[in-house]
Amino acid sequence: MERGTGYTHHSTVQAQGFKDGEAKIKQAMARNALLVDPSLEVIRVADLGCSHGSNAIHAVDFVAREIIELRDLKLSSSSSSSLEIQAIFSDITANDFNTLFSLVPHLQGKPYFFSGVPGSFYLRLFPRSSIHFAMTTFALHSLSKIPEEITNKESPAWNKGTMYIDRSSPQAAIEAVVRQAKEDLQNFLQCRAQELVTGGLLVSKFLIRTTRDLEGPLHNGFQEAWKDLIQEGIISQESLDTFNFPVYFRSCHEVQDAL
């Protein structure tokens, strides 16, 4: 496989999801006074949970171009032309930053600079009041960790027989993951509140449940494939009983509760 193409080829749904939300992002940016402040000579844009495909490049490029267009429209040519944009890609340390940066278009003579910051977005990533525009797209369903009790065979929360929280999970397991998801979302927001400058923008797009059904869009196919491997004797039942994905799709109510 050609380097850097794998994730791009398997993330078309995420790419379309960002494209579908571009009009809303443009509206929010157009109402933001900070982005057209003539005293700002550097604007920092951070993509949190960027992964390593072309989606991140497109998202940051979209925001940067929109900032430049807004300033061209509302400011004098001298104020607009002096602007420099720092695009910051951030993801966990295991992310393939080498592949990501091989996709970055290095445009000579353009006021556009790229950098990477490894780390979990559930922790502080940047100095206080340093980011003007932060965004995360289709990443907040990933939890910071799996609650220990759902992998403990002696616990009433042991999530046996499934790798996700679903309708077959014990109530104690569901409650443990809901608590973890709430804590994570609150930590995410508290960290961004410290990192964003006053008047800065935070755009978060993530999947939520609109029904009581706990099963999300990732659940069925992968889990059924895993069970097929168990039936064929390739892997053991214990491999499923002791494995849990750190993924949870919050409900609207759960998001509001965290806020």
Side-chain angles (χ1 to χ4, degrees):
M1 180 180 291
E2 183 182 347
R3 184 182 182 189
T5 61
Y7 177 80
T8 297
H9 287 169
H10 292 90
S11 59
T12 55
V13 173
Q14 294 94 316
Q16 185 61 48
F18 183 85
K19 186 175 182 180
D20 291 342
E22 285 180 354
K24 291 289 187 182
I25 297 173
K26 290 178 71 171
Q27 290 174 11
M29 295 175 71
R31 294 193 297 264
N32 185 265
L34 179 70
L35 298 179
V36 291
D37 183 345
S39 67
L40 276 182
E41 295 184 348
V42 176
I43 291 181
R44 296 180 185 87
V45 177
D47 183 7
L48 310 175
C50 62
S51 193
H52 55 266
S54 59
N55 286 353
I57 307 299
H58 168 77
V60 168
D61 187 62
F62 168 80
V63 172
R65 290 178 185 274
E66 188 63 23
I67 291 171
I68 293 171
E69 185 176 321
L70 285 171
R71 290 175 73 93
D72 285 344
L73 181 65
K74 297 188 178 183
L75 301 178
S76 65
S77 58
S78 60
S79 296
S80 180
S81 62
S82 64
L83 175 69
E84 295 181 332
I85 295 177
Q86 182 181 10
I88 307 170
F89 297 103
S90 182
D91 210 317
I92 58 174
T93 55
N95 187 55
D96 188 354
F97 284 98
N98 287 335
T99 292
L100 175 65
F101 282 106
S102 72
L103 300 173
V104 170
H106 294 282
L107 306 175
Q108 296 297 323
K110 299 292 184 180
Y112 202 3
F113 302 90
F114 298 85
S115 61
V117 174
S120 168
F121 54 40
Y122 293 124
L123 303 172
R124 283 283 303 278
L125 294 166
F126 311 108
R128 188 182 302 276
S129 300
S130 63
I131 303 298
H132 303 88
F133 186 105
M135 62 180 170
T136 180
T137 56
F138 303 107
L140 280 171
H141 59 274
S142 296
L143 302 180
S144 64
K145 63 180 181 179
I146 290 290
E148 292 182 4
E149 55 264 46
I150 75 172
T151 61
N152 182 355
K153 295 181 180 180
E154 306 302 321
S155 169
W158 182 30
N159 196 35
K160 180 182 179 181
T162 177
M163 62 184 65
Y164 299 99
I165 292 298
D166 57 25
R167 64 172 66 95
S168 68
S169 299
Q171 184 61 33
I174 296 172
E175 292 172 356
V177 171
V178 168
R179 285 195 300 271
Q180 185 64 54
K182 178 179 179 178
E183 177 184 327
D184 283 348
L185 184 54
Q186 289 178 330
N187 286 341
F188 174 85
L189 294 171
Q190 288 167 354
C191 290
R192 304 297 83 78
Q194 296 178 68
E195 295 165 350
L196 283 168
V197 303
T198 300
L201 271 178
L202 171 63
V203 172
S204 296
K205 187 166 189 174
F206 55 99
L207 298 170
I208 62 170
R209 302 192 330 271
T210 57
T211 69
R212 292 182 179 273
D213 191 349
L214 287 171
E215 295 187 5
L218 300 177
H219 287 39
N220 294 331
F222 191 62
Q223 183 153 276
E224 289 307 311
W226 194 300
K227 289 181 178 179
D228 287 344
L229 293 175
I230 292 173
Q231 291 178 354
E232 294 171 16
I234 297 174
I235 57 177
S236 67
Q237 177 64 40
E238 186 180 11
S239 69
L240 178 61
D241 293 342
T242 57
F243 181 82
N244 286 272
F245 265 112
V247 166
Y248 180 70
F249 299 95
R250 302 168 181 87
S251 69
C252 291
H253 172 75
E254 287 163 352
V255 172
Q256 291 169 345
D257 186 42
L259 291 173

